[in-house]
Every structure is written in C-alpha cells, then in structure tokens.
Amino acid sequence: MANPVDMARPRPRNSRLRTTVRDMMLSLAVIAVPIILVLVLKPSKAGNPVHPVDATTYQTTLGAARAAEPFAVLAPTGLPATWTLTSAYYNPAGSGPAEWHLGYLTPSGGYASLEQTSESFAGYLSDQHSNASQEGAVQIAGATPSEWQRYTGTSPAGLRTLLYAQDGKSTVIVAGSAPLADLETLAAALR
C-alpha cells in the first residue's frame, strides 16, 4: 500500500517535462559547440569564388590534350597577366566528340571560354546554346582565321556572346559573359 506521507506531499507539476527539456538543451549544446568551432576555425572559400588553375595543372592538361586530340589543340599565348584561368579540361573522343575547354575570369570581371570540339557547330549550338541567333561576321586582327561568326543568346545565362570559327578538323568557339572586346582578345591569342 502507498505511504500516506508520499500521498500527502504534493507532486510538482511537469517535473518530468522540465527534466526532459533540460536534457534536450544540454544535448543541443553538446552538439552545437563543436559545429560552431568548426565553422569559426575553418577557412572559408566564400570570400573568393574564383579558384585559379595553377600553371602546372594547365601545362599537364594541355600536353595530354595535344597528345590525344584528333585536331590541333589551340591555346592562348600572350594573354595579359590580369586574366585568371579558372578551368581547363579535355574529353577525348570516345562515346562523344573530342572536347578541349579553357575558362577565364577577364579583367572586366566577365567570363570567357574557349571550346574546341570535333562536333559540328550545328550540333554544338543545339546542345549548348539552343536560343543563340547569328549576328554577323566579326573581323579579329591577329586571329587565325581572322573572320569569326558572332552569335548572341541567353541560354545558358552566363554565356551571352559566342564567336565561332572552323579550324580544319575542329569547331572553335570563344564564348562568355565578358564584353566582346575580351572575347576578341582571347580569340586573337589562340595558337
């Protein structure tokens, strides 16, 4: 039978609830403290979204592309030091066309890329820039060839202008959100 003293003493209401809430808060503190320490002490890349490609990686990728591609791989020479290489890769011909790519952050803060592929220009355009429309020919001094075709569009959003030329066995495209003058500088530097 229950002890009459225990029955006479009023039981605190919600004592079990207070204990549960207190334990939950302690558990959250135990989990939150290490997470906060990691976030505070870990260096963030958010301050600089541009991650340059180092010269060794670029030279290795360029050498591998030139050894494997079925066309003469072009690369810029003499670009100003204010141009930052942000991507460089190649995909050899196989299940798809051969592709060589370089991406740059230009001094104006825009993006400029070189795409060289064994795919036809019509195929590339339908795959990559479905809403591009031809604007006409552009003469680029120092570029080989000197006449390029200019296209503009909005898809993908970052590549508003596209310059196209045929180079023997490959399609050469210089595209980006950078001003036309920057794209022309990249095209003129290709060798």
Side-chain angles (χ1 to χ4, degrees):
M1 184 162 205
N3 185 350
V5 175
D6 287 336
M7 292 181 84
R9 187 179 321 149
R11 228 174 172 185
R13 294 190 89 197
N14 299 325
S15 66
R16 178 76 177 144
L17 179 61
R18 278 191 216 117
T19 303
T20 304
V21 170
R22 182 181 59 89
D23 290 346
M24 183 177 65
M25 296 306 283
L26 289 172
S27 297
L28 281 173
V30 167
I31 293 170
V33 168
I35 291 173
I36 291 169
L37 284 174
V38 167
L39 292 175
V40 169
L41 299 176
K42 179 182 165 226
S44 173
K45 293 183 180 179
N48 183 9
V50 177
H51 304 289
V53 174
D54 65 75
T56 304
T57 301
Y58 168 69
Q59 290 300 327
T60 302
T61 305
L62 176 61
R66 286 188 167 158
E69 296 298 349
F71 48 77
V73 172
L74 298 174
T77 58
L79 280 178
T82 53
W83 285 61
T84 305
L85 181 62
T86 59
S87 58
Y89 66 83
Y90 81 95
N91 294 321
S95 61
E99 298 174 319
W100 165 240
H101 164 87
L102 294 174
Y104 289 91
L105 179 63
T106 68
S108 66
Y111 178 74
S113 70
L114 162 67
E115 308 292 337
Q116 189 175 6
T117 179
S118 60
E119 183 175 20
S120 71
F121 181 66
Y124 175 85
L125 207 57
S126 69
D127 287 347
Q128 304 293 324
H129 300 275
S130 58
N131 73 342
S133 59
Q134 188 171 7
E135 298 290 320
V138 175
Q139 296 293 326
I140 302 175
T144 303
S146 62
E147 184 172 294
W148 294 64
Q149 295 300 312
R150 179 178 176 207
Y151 288 75
T152 59
T154 58
S155 177
L159 305 177
R160 304 242 187 257
T161 304
L162 182 142
L163 300 174
Y164 150 74
Q166 196 66 39
D167 180 39
K169 297 179 180 179
S170 69
T171 301
V172 181
I173 296 119
V174 173
S177 63
L180 181 59
D182 286 349
L183 300 179
E184 290 175 350
T185 297
L186 179 56
L190 296 177
R191 304 281 182 264

